[in-house]
């Protein structure tokens, strides 16, 4: 994944002109630090998948209301390592293989309409991260149970704790909180723009030209493209 803040270089140049360069860097550091916090949980991707599965169920229910149908999704989930690659010469296709793929598929095919079925290992991770479950029992899973016996499975019901990826209001006090820094930078930028308008208007008045109107002042920084500050995350 790639993410960027277009125009941040121009924004930095403006704040640096007004001796606000340090505050601008402090803001950038705070932004990147907040982004990095999203990578702390090694199972964040699994939680996102669980949230997505729940959202799919809600979506199909909404569709049923408007189409007067009674469709139900049967979803299976599992996690683990896989083998991935591109196969085919004339028509290359990306595909994945392995026990995890088979187990996830069997969680679907052996599941129940309207339910999200997961194996025990997946349940143990998600239940500690705010998800509610209903124990189903032990089931036979073709391709796995022949060697390992029946698999304990659970039905994923819902989230009982807020999604940590939906950021809550930050509780940072002091003059260098994110809100305070942003407010200070915005105020500084506005003061700089007002000063530029006043200077140019005064100069034109001395030269006998009609005064500039606010809509006549277009800062060159909005007209030229600038490289933005970037944050890159692999996943």
């Amino acid at each position: 994944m790639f993410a960027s803040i277009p125009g941040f270089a121009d924004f930095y140049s403006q704040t640096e002109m007004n001796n606000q360069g340090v505050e601008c860097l402090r803001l950038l550091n705070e932004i990147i630090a907040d982004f990095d916090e999203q990578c702390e949980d090694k199972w964040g991707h699994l939680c996102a998948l669980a949230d997505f599965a729940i959202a799919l169920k809600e979506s199909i229910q909404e569709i049923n209301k408007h189409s007067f149908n009674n469709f139900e999704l049967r979803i299976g989930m599992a996690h683990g390592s896989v083998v991935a690659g591109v196969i085919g010469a004339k028509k290359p296709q990306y595909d994945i293989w392995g026990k995890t793929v088979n187990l996830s598929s069997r969680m679907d095919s052996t599941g129940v309409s309207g339910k999200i079925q997961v194996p025990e290992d997946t349940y143990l991770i998600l239940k500690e991260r705010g998800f509610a479950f209903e124990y189903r029992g032990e089931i036979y899973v073709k391709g796995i149970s022949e060697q390992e016996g029946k698999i304990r499975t659970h039905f994923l019901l819902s989230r009982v704790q807020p999604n940590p990826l939906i950021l809550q209001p930050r509780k940072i006090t002091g003059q260098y909180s994110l809100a305070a820094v942003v407010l200070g930078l915005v105020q500084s930028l506005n003061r700089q723009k007002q000063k530029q308008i006043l200077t140019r208007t005064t100069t034109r008045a001395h030269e006998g030209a009609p005064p500039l109107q606010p809509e006549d002042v277009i800062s060159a920084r909005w007209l030229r493209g600038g490289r933005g500050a970037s944050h890159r995350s692999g996943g």
Side-chain angles (χ1 to χ4, degrees):
M1 182 180 74
F2 290 85
S4 62
I5 306 176
F8 193 90
D10 293 334
F11 178 62
Y12 173 75
S13 298
Q14 288 292 326
T15 55
E16 189 175 34
M17 288 171 54
N18 201 33
N19 297 321
Q20 295 292 322
V22 174
E23 294 302 324
C24 189
L25 291 175
R26 188 187 302 277
L27 172 61
L28 177 60
N29 177 71
E30 201 155 355
I31 292 172
I32 299 300
D34 279 3
F35 289 170
D36 288 342
E37 288 178 4
Q38 305 308 317
C39 302
E40 289 184 356
D41 187 355
K42 63 176 293 188
W43 297 115
H45 62 288
L46 185 58
C47 294
L49 188 63
D51 284 324
F52 182 62
I54 294 171
L56 290 180
K57 283 185 57 181
E58 294 173 351
S59 294
I60 202 70
Q61 291 170 3
E62 191 67 21
I63 291 172
N64 284 337
K65 290 180 183 178
H66 297 289
S67 64
F68 305 102
N69 286 298
N70 193 29
F71 298 125
E72 288 187 324
L73 280 180
R74 186 185 65 199
I75 303 174
M77 282 176 50
H79 77 279
S81 59
V82 300
V83 176
V86 177
I87 58 174
K90 293 185 178 180
K91 189 179 180 181
Q93 291 185 343
Y94 177 83
D95 204 354
I96 54 177
W97 308 269
K99 175 184 172 182
T100 302
V101 179
N102 181 42
L103 181 56
S104 179
S105 174
R106 298 300 180 184
M107 288 297 99
D108 169 26
S109 61
T110 63
V112 176
S113 292
K115 300 285 188 178
I116 305 169
Q117 183 173 228
V118 304
E120 178 88 350
D121 290 346
T122 303
Y123 154 77
L124 292 174
I125 294 171
L126 292 176
K127 79 180 183 69
E128 299 297 330
R129 288 165 173 78
F131 292 92
F133 288 87
E134 172 191 342
Y135 177 62
R136 180 187 185 182
E138 296 184 345
I139 64 171
Y140 179 86
V141 177
K142 183 179 180 181
I144 297 177
S145 293
E146 291 87 343
Q147 290 78 32
E148 302 179 15
K150 291 186 176 181
I151 303 295
R152 290 169 57 91
T153 67
H154 304 257
F155 291 132
L156 171 61
L157 303 179
S158 63
R159 250 195 192 274
V160 293
Q161 295 178 8
N163 183 349
L165 294 180
I166 300 177
L167 299 180
Q168 304 300 317
R170 304 185 65 203
K171 298 180 180 179
I172 300 177
T173 58
Q175 60 177 328
Y176 294 126
S177 68
L178 179 59
V181 172
V182 171
L183 178 60
L185 289 172
V186 170
Q187 290 176 338
S188 173
L189 190 58
N190 287 337
R191 285 196 299 269
Q192 184 72 14
K193 290 172 63 177
Q194 291 170 1
K195 191 180 300 182
Q196 291 174 353
I197 294 173
L198 180 61
T199 300
R200 297 185 63 179
T201 301
T202 303
T203 301
R204 289 172 64 89
H206 286 162
E207 295 174 350
L212 284 171
Q213 300 300 316
E215 58 269 21
D216 297 327
V217 181
I218 304 177
S219 175
R221 65 190 182 83
W222 299 114
L223 297 179
R224 67 176 185 269
R227 293 175 60 190
S230 300
H231 178 74
R232 181 173 64 185
S233 174

